[in-house]
Short mmCIF file of all heavy atoms in Angstrom, two decimals:
data_model
loop_
_atom_site.label_atom_id
_atom_site.label_comp_id
_atom_site.label_asym_id
_atom_site.label_seq_id
_atom_site.Cartn_x
_atom_site.Cartn_y
_atom_site.Cartn_z
N ASP D 91 9.89 -45.36 -17.45
CA ASP D 91 10.37 -46.73 -17.26
C ASP D 91 11.88 -46.76 -17.06
O ASP D 91 12.39 -47.53 -16.27
CB ASP D 91 9.99 -47.62 -18.46
CG ASP D 91 8.50 -47.86 -18.53
OD1 ASP D 91 7.83 -47.77 -17.48
OD2 ASP D 91 8.00 -48.14 -19.63
N SER D 92 12.59 -45.93 -17.84
CA SER D 92 14.05 -45.90 -17.75
C SER D 92 14.54 -44.45 -17.77
O SER D 92 14.75 -43.88 -18.83
CB SER D 92 14.66 -46.68 -18.91
OG SER D 92 16.05 -46.57 -18.88
N PRO D 93 14.74 -43.86 -16.60
CA PRO D 93 15.26 -42.50 -16.57
C PRO D 93 16.64 -42.40 -17.21
O PRO D 93 17.02 -41.37 -17.75
CB PRO D 93 15.34 -42.17 -15.08
CG PRO D 93 14.47 -43.14 -14.39
CD PRO D 93 14.42 -44.35 -15.26
N GLU D 94 17.38 -43.51 -17.19
CA GLU D 94 18.72 -43.51 -17.79
C GLU D 94 18.63 -43.32 -19.30
O GLU D 94 19.49 -42.67 -19.90
CB GLU D 94 19.44 -44.80 -17.45
CG GLU D 94 20.92 -44.63 -17.41
CD GLU D 94 21.61 -45.74 -16.67
OE1 GLU D 94 21.44 -45.85 -15.45
OE2 GLU D 94 22.33 -46.49 -17.33
N ALA D 95 17.62 -43.87 -19.94
CA ALA D 95 17.45 -43.68 -21.38
C ALA D 95 17.20 -42.21 -21.69
O ALA D 95 17.72 -41.68 -22.69
CB ALA D 95 16.29 -44.53 -21.90
N TYR D 96 16.45 -41.54 -20.84
CA TYR D 96 16.23 -40.10 -21.00
C TYR D 96 17.56 -39.36 -20.87
O TYR D 96 17.86 -38.44 -21.61
CB TYR D 96 15.22 -39.61 -19.96
CG TYR D 96 14.89 -38.14 -20.08
CD1 TYR D 96 13.94 -37.71 -20.99
CD2 TYR D 96 15.52 -37.19 -19.29
CE1 TYR D 96 13.62 -36.37 -21.11
CE2 TYR D 96 15.22 -35.85 -19.40
CZ TYR D 96 14.26 -35.44 -20.32
OH TYR D 96 13.96 -34.10 -20.44
N MET D 97 18.36 -39.79 -19.90
CA MET D 97 19.67 -39.17 -19.69
C MET D 97 20.59 -39.39 -20.89
O MET D 97 21.34 -38.50 -21.26
CB MET D 97 20.29 -39.75 -18.42
CG MET D 97 21.51 -39.05 -17.98
SD MET D 97 21.15 -37.40 -17.36
CE MET D 97 22.66 -37.07 -16.51
N TYR D 98 20.54 -40.58 -21.51
CA TYR D 98 21.33 -40.83 -22.72
C TYR D 98 20.99 -39.79 -23.78
O TYR D 98 21.86 -39.23 -24.43
CB TYR D 98 21.04 -42.22 -23.31
CG TYR D 98 21.53 -43.39 -22.51
CD1 TYR D 98 20.95 -44.64 -22.68
CD2 TYR D 98 22.57 -43.28 -21.59
CE1 TYR D 98 21.38 -45.74 -21.96
CE2 TYR D 98 23.01 -44.38 -20.87
CZ TYR D 98 22.41 -45.60 -21.07
OH TYR D 98 22.83 -46.69 -20.37
N ARG D 99 19.70 -39.57 -23.95
CA ARG D 99 19.25 -38.64 -24.98
C ARG D 99 19.72 -37.21 -24.67
O ARG D 99 20.19 -36.50 -25.56
CB ARG D 99 17.74 -38.67 -25.10
CG ARG D 99 17.22 -37.83 -26.22
CD ARG D 99 15.73 -38.00 -26.38
NE ARG D 99 15.33 -37.50 -27.67
CZ ARG D 99 14.22 -37.83 -28.26
NH1 ARG D 99 13.40 -38.67 -27.70
NH2 ARG D 99 13.91 -37.32 -29.42
N VAL D 100 19.61 -36.81 -23.42
CA VAL D 100 20.07 -35.48 -23.01
C VAL D 100 21.56 -35.34 -23.28
O VAL D 100 22.01 -34.33 -23.83
CB VAL D 100 19.75 -35.22 -21.52
CG1 VAL D 100 20.46 -33.98 -21.01
CG2 VAL D 100 18.24 -35.10 -21.31
N MET D 101 22.35 -36.37 -22.94
CA MET D 101 23.80 -36.30 -23.13
C MET D 101 24.17 -36.24 -24.61
O MET D 101 25.04 -35.46 -25.00
CB MET D 101 24.47 -37.50 -22.46
CG MET D 101 24.39 -37.43 -20.94
SD MET D 101 24.96 -38.92 -20.12
CE MET D 101 26.71 -38.79 -20.42
N VAL D 102 23.52 -37.04 -25.42
CA VAL D 102 23.82 -37.02 -26.86
C VAL D 102 23.44 -35.66 -27.45
O VAL D 102 24.21 -35.08 -28.23
CB VAL D 102 23.10 -38.17 -27.60
CG1 VAL D 102 23.16 -37.99 -29.10
CG2 VAL D 102 23.71 -39.51 -27.20
N ASN D 103 22.29 -35.14 -27.08
CA ASN D 103 21.87 -33.83 -27.59
C ASN D 103 22.82 -32.72 -27.14
O ASN D 103 23.17 -31.84 -27.93
CB ASN D 103 20.44 -33.52 -27.16
CG ASN D 103 19.43 -34.38 -27.87
OD1 ASN D 103 19.72 -35.03 -28.86
ND2 ASN D 103 18.22 -34.41 -27.35
N LEU D 104 23.23 -32.74 -25.87
CA LEU D 104 24.17 -31.73 -25.39
C LEU D 104 25.50 -31.82 -26.12
O LEU D 104 26.06 -30.81 -26.54
CB LEU D 104 24.42 -31.91 -23.88
CG LEU D 104 23.44 -31.28 -22.94
CD1 LEU D 104 23.73 -31.71 -21.50
CD2 LEU D 104 23.50 -29.77 -23.04
N ARG D 105 26.01 -33.03 -26.28
CA ARG D 105 27.30 -33.22 -26.96
C ARG D 105 27.21 -32.75 -28.41
O ARG D 105 28.13 -32.11 -28.92
CB ARG D 105 27.72 -34.68 -26.90
CG ARG D 105 28.99 -34.99 -27.63
CD ARG D 105 30.17 -34.25 -27.05
NE ARG D 105 31.32 -34.50 -27.87
CZ ARG D 105 32.22 -33.59 -28.19
NH1 ARG D 105 32.11 -32.37 -27.72
NH2 ARG D 105 33.23 -33.89 -28.95
N THR D 106 26.12 -33.03 -29.06
CA THR D 106 25.94 -32.59 -30.44
C THR D 106 25.92 -31.07 -30.53
O THR D 106 26.55 -30.48 -31.41
CB THR D 106 24.66 -33.19 -31.04
OG1 THR D 106 24.74 -34.61 -30.96
CG2 THR D 106 24.48 -32.79 -32.48
N SER D 107 25.21 -30.43 -29.61
CA SER D 107 25.16 -28.97 -29.66
C SER D 107 26.52 -28.36 -29.34
O SER D 107 26.91 -27.36 -29.94
CB SER D 107 24.08 -28.41 -28.73
OG SER D 107 24.41 -28.62 -27.39
N TRP D 108 27.27 -28.96 -28.40
CA TRP D 108 28.62 -28.48 -28.11
C TRP D 108 29.50 -28.62 -29.34
O TRP D 108 30.29 -27.76 -29.67
CB TRP D 108 29.25 -29.25 -26.96
CG TRP D 108 28.67 -28.97 -25.62
CD1 TRP D 108 27.66 -28.10 -25.31
CD2 TRP D 108 29.07 -29.56 -24.40
NE1 TRP D 108 27.40 -28.14 -23.98
CE2 TRP D 108 28.26 -29.01 -23.39
CE3 TRP D 108 30.03 -30.50 -24.06
CZ2 TRP D 108 28.39 -29.39 -22.06
CZ3 TRP D 108 30.16 -30.87 -22.74
CH2 TRP D 108 29.35 -30.31 -21.75
N TRP D 109 29.39 -29.76 -30.01
CA TRP D 109 30.22 -30.02 -31.20
C TRP D 109 29.89 -29.01 -32.30
O TRP D 109 30.78 -28.49 -32.95
CB TRP D 109 29.98 -31.45 -31.69
CG TRP D 109 30.64 -31.72 -32.99
CD1 TRP D 109 31.96 -31.97 -33.21
CD2 TRP D 109 30.00 -31.77 -34.27
NE1 TRP D 109 32.18 -32.16 -34.54
CE2 TRP D 109 31.00 -32.05 -35.21
CE3 TRP D 109 28.70 -31.61 -34.70
CZ2 TRP D 109 30.72 -32.17 -36.56
CZ3 TRP D 109 28.43 -31.74 -36.05
CH2 TRP D 109 29.44 -32.01 -36.96
N ARG D 110 28.61 -28.73 -32.48
CA ARG D 110 28.22 -27.76 -33.50
C ARG D 110 28.78 -26.38 -33.20
O ARG D 110 29.20 -25.67 -34.10
CB ARG D 110 26.71 -27.70 -33.62
CG ARG D 110 26.13 -28.88 -34.33
CD ARG D 110 24.63 -28.76 -34.48
NE ARG D 110 24.13 -29.92 -35.18
CZ ARG D 110 22.96 -30.47 -34.93
NH1 ARG D 110 22.16 -29.97 -34.00
NH2 ARG D 110 22.57 -31.53 -35.59
N ARG D 111 28.78 -26.01 -31.92
CA ARG D 111 29.31 -24.71 -31.54
C ARG D 111 30.81 -24.62 -31.71
O ARG D 111 31.35 -23.57 -32.04
CB ARG D 111 28.96 -24.41 -30.08
CG ARG D 111 27.78 -23.48 -29.96
CD ARG D 111 27.58 -23.10 -28.52
NE ARG D 111 26.66 -24.10 -27.97
CZ ARG D 111 26.71 -24.58 -26.75
NH1 ARG D 111 27.61 -24.18 -25.91
NH2 ARG D 111 25.84 -25.46 -26.35
N SER D 112 31.51 -25.71 -31.49
CA SER D 112 32.97 -25.64 -31.45
C SER D 112 33.66 -26.20 -32.69
O SER D 112 34.87 -26.21 -32.75
CB SER D 112 33.49 -26.39 -30.24
OG SER D 112 33.26 -27.77 -30.39
N ARG D 113 32.94 -26.63 -33.69
CA ARG D 113 33.60 -27.28 -34.82
C ARG D 113 34.44 -26.33 -35.66
O ARG D 113 35.30 -26.78 -36.40
CB ARG D 113 32.60 -28.03 -35.68
CG ARG D 113 31.61 -27.17 -36.41
CD ARG D 113 30.69 -28.01 -37.24
NE ARG D 113 29.52 -27.23 -37.61
CZ ARG D 113 28.50 -27.73 -38.22
NH1 ARG D 113 28.49 -29.00 -38.53
NH2 ARG D 113 27.48 -26.97 -38.53
N ASN D 114 34.20 -25.03 -35.57
CA ASN D 114 34.98 -24.09 -36.36
C ASN D 114 36.16 -23.52 -35.58
O ASN D 114 36.90 -22.70 -36.11
CB ASN D 114 34.09 -22.94 -36.85
CG ASN D 114 33.08 -23.44 -37.86
OD1 ASN D 114 33.34 -24.37 -38.59
ND2 ASN D 114 31.92 -22.81 -37.86
N ARG D 115 36.34 -23.95 -34.36
CA ARG D 115 37.45 -23.46 -33.55
C ARG D 115 38.72 -24.21 -33.89
O ARG D 115 38.71 -25.38 -34.22
CB ARG D 115 37.17 -23.66 -32.07
CG ARG D 115 36.08 -22.80 -31.54
CD ARG D 115 36.01 -22.97 -30.05
NE ARG D 115 34.80 -22.34 -29.56
CZ ARG D 115 34.28 -22.59 -28.38
NH1 ARG D 115 34.85 -23.45 -27.59
NH2 ARG D 115 33.18 -21.99 -28.01
N GLU D 116 39.84 -23.51 -33.77
CA GLU D 116 41.14 -24.14 -33.91
C GLU D 116 41.74 -24.30 -32.53
O GLU D 116 41.59 -23.43 -31.68
CB GLU D 116 42.07 -23.28 -34.77
CG GLU D 116 41.64 -23.22 -36.22
CD GLU D 116 42.63 -22.43 -37.06
OE1 GLU D 116 43.76 -22.20 -36.60
OE2 GLU D 116 42.26 -22.06 -38.16
N TRP D 117 42.40 -25.39 -32.31
CA TRP D 117 43.02 -25.66 -31.02
C TRP D 117 44.53 -25.62 -31.21
O TRP D 117 45.09 -26.39 -31.96
CB TRP D 117 42.59 -27.02 -30.48
CG TRP D 117 41.12 -27.12 -30.32
CD1 TRP D 117 40.24 -27.69 -31.18
CD2 TRP D 117 40.34 -26.59 -29.25
NE1 TRP D 117 38.96 -27.56 -30.71
CE2 TRP D 117 39.00 -26.89 -29.53
CE3 TRP D 117 40.64 -25.89 -28.09
CZ2 TRP D 117 37.97 -26.52 -28.68
CZ3 TRP D 117 39.60 -25.55 -27.26
CH2 TRP D 117 38.29 -25.86 -27.55
N SER D 118 45.19 -24.73 -30.52
CA SER D 118 46.63 -24.65 -30.62
C SER D 118 47.27 -25.24 -29.36
O SER D 118 46.70 -25.17 -28.27
CB SER D 118 47.07 -23.20 -30.79
OG SER D 118 46.67 -22.44 -29.67
N THR D 119 48.45 -25.82 -29.53
CA THR D 119 49.17 -26.38 -28.41
C THR D 119 50.61 -25.91 -28.46
O THR D 119 51.12 -25.52 -29.52
CB THR D 119 49.16 -27.92 -28.44
OG1 THR D 119 49.77 -28.36 -29.65
CG2 THR D 119 47.75 -28.46 -28.36
N ASP D 120 51.27 -25.94 -27.32
CA ASP D 120 52.67 -25.55 -27.25
C ASP D 120 53.60 -26.65 -27.72
O ASP D 120 54.70 -26.40 -28.18
CB ASP D 120 53.05 -25.15 -25.82
CG ASP D 120 52.32 -23.90 -25.37
OD1 ASP D 120 51.93 -23.10 -26.26
OD2 ASP D 120 52.15 -23.71 -24.16
N GLU D 121 53.15 -27.89 -27.59
CA GLU D 121 54.00 -29.03 -27.90
C GLU D 121 53.33 -29.92 -28.92
O GLU D 121 52.11 -29.98 -29.01
CB GLU D 121 54.26 -29.84 -26.65
CG GLU D 121 54.93 -29.08 -25.54
CD GLU D 121 55.00 -29.91 -24.27
OE1 GLU D 121 54.65 -31.10 -24.31
OE2 GLU D 121 55.42 -29.36 -23.26
N ILE D 122 54.14 -30.65 -29.64
CA ILE D 122 53.62 -31.69 -30.53
C ILE D 122 53.27 -32.87 -29.65
O ILE D 122 54.08 -33.30 -28.83
CB ILE D 122 54.67 -32.09 -31.59
CG1 ILE D 122 54.98 -30.89 -32.47
CG2 ILE D 122 54.16 -33.27 -32.41
CD1 ILE D 122 56.08 -31.13 -33.46
N PRO D 123 52.06 -33.40 -29.77
CA PRO D 123 51.67 -34.51 -28.90
C PRO D 123 52.55 -35.74 -29.13
O PRO D 123 52.83 -36.11 -30.26
CB PRO D 123 50.23 -34.81 -29.28
CG PRO D 123 49.79 -33.72 -30.18
CD PRO D 123 50.99 -32.99 -30.66
N GLU D 124 52.98 -36.32 -28.05
CA GLU D 124 53.75 -37.55 -28.10
C GLU D 124 52.80 -38.71 -27.95
O GLU D 124 51.66 -38.56 -27.54
CB GLU D 124 54.79 -37.57 -26.98
CG GLU D 124 55.83 -36.49 -27.10
CD GLU D 124 56.74 -36.65 -28.32
OE1 GLU D 124 57.05 -37.80 -28.68
OE2 GLU D 124 57.11 -35.63 -28.90
N GLU D 125 53.28 -39.89 -28.22
CA GLU D 125 52.47 -41.08 -28.04
C GLU D 125 52.47 -41.45 -26.56
O GLU D 125 53.47 -41.96 -26.05
CB GLU D 125 53.00 -42.24 -28.87
CG GLU D 125 52.95 -41.99 -30.36
CD GLU D 125 53.58 -43.11 -31.15
OE1 GLU D 125 54.60 -43.64 -30.71
OE2 GLU D 125 53.04 -43.42 -32.21
N PRO D 126 51.38 -41.17 -25.84
CA PRO D 126 51.39 -41.36 -24.39
C PRO D 126 51.51 -42.82 -23.96
O PRO D 126 51.92 -43.09 -22.86
CB PRO D 126 50.05 -40.78 -23.95
CG PRO D 126 49.20 -40.80 -25.14
CD PRO D 126 50.13 -40.68 -26.33
#
Side-chain angles (χ1 to χ4, degrees):
D91 291 336
S92 175
E94 208 162 292
Y96 182 83
M97 189 70 164
Y98 291 157
R99 186 175 196 160
V100 168
M101 291 172 71
V102 168
N103 289 346
L104 276 173
R105 177 63 185 139
T106 302
S107 68
W108 289 0
W109 172 77
R110 285 182 180 145
R111 259 187 270 144
S112 68
R113 67 179 163 186
N114 292 330
R115 291 186 191 163
E116 292 184 16
W117 301 98
S118 61
T119 60
D120 294 335
E121 300 173 7
I122 297 175
E124 296 294 325
E125 296 176 322

